[in-house]
Amino acid sequence: MRINYFETKTVLCRENYHGVNVDDPFRWLEQAEDAEVKAWTKQQNELTQAYLSEIGDYTAIKQRLQDLWRFPQVSSAVEKGGRIFFKKNDGSQNQSILYVREIDGNERSLVDPNSLSDDGTIALMNEFYTSDGDLLAYSLAQSGSDWQKIYLMDTLTGEHLDEVLGYTKFPWVAWSKDKSGFFYNRLPDPESVRPEDQNNFRHICWHTIGTPQSEDQVIYRPVEKTLSVSPQATDDGEYLLLWIYRGTDRRNGLYYRAFSRGGEFIELFEVERAMFNFVGNRGDEFYVHTDLDAPNGKVVAISLSNPNPSAWMTIVPEREDAIDEARIVNGNIVVKYFHQAHHQLKIFKLNGDVSGSIPLPTLGSVLPLSGGPDDSRYYFLFSSFLYPDTVLYYDFADNAVHEFADGAGIDFPIEEYETIQKFYLSKDGTQVPIFLTQKKGIQLDGQNPTILYGYGGFNLAQPPFFKVWNLTWLEMGGVFALANLRGGNEFGEEWHQAGMLDQKQNVFDDFHAAAEWLIEEGYTSTPKLAIEGRSNGGLLTAVCMLQRPDLYGAILCHVPVIDMLRYHKFTLGHFWIPEYGDAETNPDHFKFMYAYSPLHNVREEELYPPVLVTTADTDDRVVPLHSKKFVATLQSKADPHAAYLLRVEEHAGHGLGKPVAKLIEERADCWAFLVDQLDMSI
């Protein structure tokens, strides 16, 4: 249908980057609190909703989403002191509730975020327990913000302690063995620093239970204001560890000191040398997962009395499959591998001998392992495209995997569908895996509506995952394809580095090649092919629609990074410089970033595929100005015969913690958009 865009004003704004003049006529849209910007945003939302309201299948799509969502879900479990703490949603709640299962089997709720707001926009984000589970520090976030507050609870009585700790983003807590307090990471009071420094100067404080935050003692500050730091206590409570890292760079420093006394921290590993993840310890012997001289990862034993690399003992050597995570449980090392972009679990003895493999239900993903060095079992969340998130545990007593809770009863004939894995060649001959989920017996006639999903960055792999809304897509006759692009860590650090900085074009080429393969194999055709991505994946889809408008039929572009010349100036953007680069200060970076930056590559009068760009007004990670400037540019420059639409959610953030009601509304809009643009009948 024809969309009548309103004219967005332009304001002359020109900057010179290393001898190149760059115009930014919609920079005024960066001022989120400006009344004119708010009015413009309101008009864009009204334009989008007017378009969606004309789609006849919208009501049926939303109703089906609501029906499918109503199934019980347990999303995490951890055992402390013989009690099990877990999150559960009965299928009708906006947010999951934290429960405890007592030793006698009785269950009771501890934290119910649904009771804290009328619209479900307060979310429970993180939980940190004492070793016996008697005390809990947990964090809440409001309206999707990365800013969080830490609350304290006595889990035996269910009563809260008086103090509340603020000024935290991505908080981490390390309890003392005697439960007198904990170390935590925090930021300065935003009012005490310049706006551009509100995400800098991270430091570690000690909090004593029963005292106000104003009395907390600073025990460590990184030497540079842009470095971040997080604390962790060893399971035996003897050592305090500090992770030091720059932005999203995985090459972290690791410091330690004895927990029981003060004093200086000892640098075990320096920042920006390699990745070092603590696996566990036996006294002063530390087990560490590192990619130093091993891009796919290895586990080494390091004696604190002689930490020189020449004295390290390799326990789990590097192999073809990349290590994603390792943890000491029950006196063994449980290692989570990526095998062809899906997870496998293997067990090693502390001397490195292979103890066995852990069977998983299907090709899928395993979320972080939960278990201590002396625990008889560990818990993990398993999921796949056709396997709803399920908490499982491995019991060393019988060497078997069990379900923590009864399997979810979901109103969908999963047995009629299948997931298969294929491989295709990218532009430079690199073999890339792709997962396909579809109805069994699908006809490869090029007429199947297909979503191609990707991410490709920040060392974040994309193993199989479950999203209930994808079931409605399958039910409507669609195919869901996930391409494991370079930039992730499906195949170790080399795979990551092949998709970052000046190699970023490899990611886009991988995605184009996936689309071409889907068409060549008969799964779909350009008029039936949509691409989708979030955040860095939103950047991916925006770039790909501009580079190959002939290849794609429609675009779902969520919370995208768009302005690659200025992204680092807003909230957490400077954290991403190790991944993307800095076009402002580095002329070499400017060349390759300007070449693909979506904001700067919209061509005059080009007919681009229709795009629905989604963002949120309180997203303080990828701020909504990216989406606003992109849509304004498309509407003003590109051929107006396609839909270039903006959807701005209110009281929501980057995505984590979004209430179910908002998730359903957003997904109904997305599916209705594709039904219309791909000419689907449901």
Side-chain angles (χ1 to χ4, degrees), residues 657-674:
K658 184 179 289 186
V660 167
K662 288 184 178 294
L663 290 172
I664 290 174
E665 290 173 357
E666 178 183 35
R667 190 48 51 169
D669 288 353
C670 291
W671 282 173
F673 176 78
L674 292 188

Side-chain angles (χ1 to χ4, degrees), residues 131 185 190 196 219 248 327 363 501 511 516 544 552 594 626:
S131 59
N185 53 346
E196 62 266 30
I219 63 108
T248 55
R327 188 178 185 89
L363 300 183
L501 295 173
F511 210 52
E516 291 170 338
C544 287
Y552 307 107
Y594 188 51
H626 288 276

